[in-house]
Amino acid sequence: MSKLLDLLAQQKQLEEQIKNLKADETEMKVLKFVEELDALRAKHGYNVPDFLDVVHSYHKAESPAKNTQSVSDKAPKETKPQFKVVVDGVDVVLKESTQGKMKPDLEKAVKAGGFTKYKDYLADLIKKNDVDSFEALIKKLGGVPVTA
């Protein structure tokens, strides 16, 4: 019987707290907002976890789009400047990095140098020309900027 009395006492305390909180304007705004959210969830037939996923994905800007046809709002990637230089009597267009993609003439020069990767070829050129950066290499080889 004492458990029942404890629960009834707790219920009475909770009812008193609810009454006090309902008198608070800020708390009432929150309660009204939650009721409206719950009504919106029910209106559109979402279960609670799915509804939370929708709300979170809407407010989480860094989440990737799930639709492959969505438009990205990322800024266009800046292209690295390219420079035309002469290496071993051959005109070659160099840039700081290629991210695995090389134009055919550059690929031919890289393979002729005995390399499979542009990064290794570029490192070798920097070492052979006794410079410590890409900019210094371009300057030493007399590189001319190339536009698209």
Side-chain angles (χ1 to χ4, degrees):
M1 185 91 153
S2 93
K3 283 187 178 182
L4 179 59
L5 289 176
D6 287 343
L7 289 174
L8 288 172
Q10 284 178 352
Q11 182 181 8
K12 200 172 194 180
Q13 286 177 332
L14 289 173
E15 287 173 354
E16 187 66 31
Q17 285 179 349
I18 290 171
K19 183 179 163 189
N20 290 338
L21 289 173
K22 282 185 176 180
D24 183 6
E25 189 177 319
T26 305
E27 292 293 335
M28 280 307 295
K29 284 182 182 178
V30 170
L31 182 62
K32 184 171 172 47
F33 179 70
V34 169
E35 288 171 350
E36 289 174 359
L37 272 178
D38 203 34
L40 188 63
R41 181 193 61 77
K43 175 183 175 186
H44 293 286
Y46 281 103
N47 60 32
V48 174
D50 289 344
F51 185 73
L52 289 175
D53 283 346
V54 169
V55 172
H56 284 164
S57 66
Y58 177 73
H59 287 287
K60 189 175 179 185
E62 66 270 4
S63 68
K66 293 178 183 172
N67 180 345
T68 58
Q69 296 182 0
S70 66
V71 177
S72 173
D73 48 350
K74 286 184 184 177
K77 209 173 197 179
E78 284 187 34
T79 57
K80 301 268 186 184
Q82 299 180 11
F83 301 91
K84 188 173 190 176
V85 296
V86 177
V87 177
D88 299 328
V90 179
D91 284 343
V92 179
V93 176
L94 299 178
K95 60 182 174 177
E96 263 186 277
S97 68
T98 63
Q99 297 182 354
K101 297 178 183 178
M102 293 185 277
K103 292 183 179 176
D105 58 336
L106 179 59
E107 190 172 4
K108 187 186 286 184
V110 169
K111 286 183 180 177
F115 298 95
T116 56
K117 295 182 178 181
Y118 176 71
K119 136 179 121 167
D120 297 334
Y121 175 71
L122 189 58
D124 185 62
L125 278 178
I126 290 173
K127 185 178 175 184
K128 280 183 182 175
N129 286 285
D130 198 28
V131 293
D132 58 352
S133 69
F134 177 77
E135 292 79 15
L137 175 68
I138 296 303
K139 190 173 184 178
K140 184 168 184 174
L141 295 177
V144 178
V146 176
T147 55

